Amino acid sequence: MTRTVPGRTDHVVVVGAGLAGLSAALHLLGAGRRVTVVEREALPGGRAGRRELGGYHLDTGPTVLTMPDLADEAFAAVGERLRDRVELLPLHPAYRACFADGTALDVHTDADAMEAEVEGFAGAREAAGYRRLRDWLGRLYAVQLRRFIDANFDSPLGLLTPDLARLAALGGFGRLDARIGRFLTDERLKRVFTFQALYAGVAPARALAAYAVIAYMDTVAGVYFPRGGMHALPRAMAEAAVDAGADLRLGRDVTRLERSGTRVTAVVTEHERIPCDAVVLTPDLPVAHRLLGRRPRRPLALRHAPSAVVLHAGTTRTWPHLAHHTLSFGAAWRGTFDELTRSGTLMTDPSLLITRPTAHDPALAPEGRHLHYVLAPCPNTDIGPGARAWNDLAPRYRDRLLATLERRGLTGIAAAVEQECLVTPADWTAQGHAAGTPFSVAHTFAQTGPFRPRNLVGGTDNAVLAGCGTTPGVGVPTVVLSGKLAAARITGTRARPAAARSARR
């Protein structure tokens, strides 16, 4: 039995209307709690926000949606269904991978389609390896979801279950790069199934093989696009929460928490004082710790994931070889991860994620125009250029990105840009993200599972954390789960796991 918040929990204030906060709110409402959600921005969404720029509708955060069943679980808590509020478009291909040698591979989530694609790309032996890899990824996910991802931990002893032995038998405690290499020998294919380690903030050669579970989400479970952009998801979650009785207060910045002994008694904004019986805090860890007035002690300082530069470009044209999501790999690989996680230098031969949301929703741009997001990983400000340095670096790096894209087939892109927005670690820092990264605490072994900053707060009886800095970690599916886990700390109840619900459909 995991620990829960003691005492009265009738009225819960959720600080932050991002995916974690909205998930927590829906699960709390479903358990009969009265919920107030306080958000500093004028719109819900948090990192998954929205910006309007000259007729273009920009998603300010994640562009990839996987595992929608986990979000559907939050809607189900209040008797609703995600698909009744959001039109989800499955992406085929999920990604297009373009390599420095001029070859390209469409990444399909359908097993037969992907096997045929791999065989045509790299031969029958690699296609057979893909089939074995796909089977292994499915078994890895099944073992991890129940005990290691969708789970609250009170101590490392919570790992001691039969599933730990099953995870070890599957090779989950080996290295990601080496384990994928048991199935695939083509270096290009190996990149397709290991680049996800960047989400975890660790190089594939050092990441636990258990993190191949992210590749399962990307390459097996399917990639989706919500019509209206990724912001359509938190917008729908907020609407469902309000319809279920939540009090949603936007444009309210929380300035402090009132306490009585070890309990938070009220959340205070510049506008009002909101009494509460419990509080869920979803801001990045430094902001949450400031509000709580204490920072947990850890034997080692937290290590943060790499950051990213994002160029949002509204253009007068597009390029036919771009899919909805295109992975543009440079020739360098291991050296690139060293630059991002060790030396702290900008990528000399960048690998980029290019997203073209207007491929499936032209309404996100003015008629006849196109929207492209270019995400370039970069070092965080702890090991790379600081936030101030980015004020000078930004214009030059923007030009470097466009020149790289030009060389990789996006001919005339600089001239085609009519509206743009460049986001750098300086912007992430200004938003309160530690180390200038939106990807929070890296998933090293010492910062994973029960070793990650926990969602219960020492010294405060009725405060719970949610979001990518706590359990279970970074990424849209896990952040949504973090809200569910935070709610469970307050209600003492657990919804049926999403995997079980999916199996019964």
Side-chain angles (χ1 to χ4, degrees), residues 4-150:
T4 57
V5 169
R8 183 174 174 174
T9 60
D10 295 349
H11 179 212
V12 184
V13 175
V14 178
V15 178
L19 294 171
L22 293 169
S23 173
L26 288 166
H27 283 286
L28 288 165
L29 289 162
R33 298 312 191 267
R34 183 163 66 92
V35 177
T36 301
V37 183
V38 184
E39 166 59 47
R40 69 180 179 181
E41 301 296 337
L43 293 172
R47 285 173 172 84
R50 168 58 55 88
R51 178 175 177 180
E52 310 296 329
L53 186 66
Y56 293 90
H57 308 284
L58 303 140
D59 282 322
T60 60
T63 60
V64 179
L65 176 62
T66 60
M67 307 303 296
D69 278 348
L70 300 181
D72 190 44
E73 220 185 333
F75 285 90
V78 293
E80 296 216 27
R81 297 195 315 163
L82 167 62
R83 285 169 174 80
D84 289 339
R85 288 188 176 264
V86 180
E87 182 183 358
L88 293 181
L89 305 173
L91 298 187
H92 306 295
Y95 296 94
R96 177 165 295 146
C98 298
F99 301 95
D101 62 2
T103 58
L105 172 81
D106 280 353
V107 180
H108 299 283
T109 51
D110 176 78
D112 293 337
M114 187 59 180
E115 183 177 8
E117 183 79 14
V118 171
E119 183 168 358
F121 181 77
R125 181 176 178 180
E126 294 296 281
Y130 160 73
R131 276 288 190 177
R132 295 194 305 274
L133 171 60
R134 184 185 178 95
D135 175 70
W136 178 74
L137 290 172
R139 288 185 287 133
L140 190 73
Y141 176 76
V143 167
Q144 288 195 72
L145 178 65
R146 183 176 59 227
R147 295 290 188 184
F148 305 109
I149 300 174
D150 188 7

Side-chain angles (χ1 to χ4, degrees), residues 3-9 13 256-267 276-281 288-296 454-465 489-490:
R3 290 171 52 204
T4 57
V5 169
R8 183 174 174 174
T9 60
V13 175
R256 63 188 177 89
L257 305 176
E258 283 188 8
R259 301 171 66 104
S260 177
T262 58
R263 295 185 73 86
V264 175
T265 56
V267 174
C276 64
D277 299 312
V279 61
V280 176
L281 300 174
H289 293 157
R290 176 179 58 78
L291 290 172
L292 290 165
R294 68 187 305 274
R295 181 178 179 178
R454 294 183 197 162
N455 55 7
L456 282 183
V457 178
T460 305
D461 288 343
N462 63 338
V464 188
L465 303 181
R489 289 290 198 184
I490 292 171

Side-chain angles (χ1 to χ4, degrees), residues 401-467:
L401 276 179
L402 291 176
T404 298
L405 294 170
E406 183 92 27
R407 289 194 302 272
R408 296 183 184 178
L410 274 66
T411 307
I413 185 171
V417 175
E418 64 174 12
Q419 294 284 346
E420 67 179 277
C421 172
L422 187 73
V423 183
T424 75
D427 300 290
W428 304 124
T429 298
Q431 292 176 30
H433 299 320
T437 173
F439 304 117
S440 195
V441 178
H443 283 266
T444 61
F445 179 79
Q447 296 176 170
T448 295
F451 308 112
R452 198 164 181 81
R454 294 183 197 162
N455 55 7
L456 282 183
V457 178
T460 305
D461 288 343
N462 63 338
V464 188
L465 303 181

Side-chain angles (χ1 to χ4, degrees), residues 360-383:
H360 285 85
D361 192 350
L364 294 171
E367 187 174 357
R369 297 298 193 262
H370 306 271
L371 186 56
H372 302 84
Y373 306 152
V374 183
L375 185 149
C378 70
N380 64 48
T381 57
D382 280 347
I383 65 168

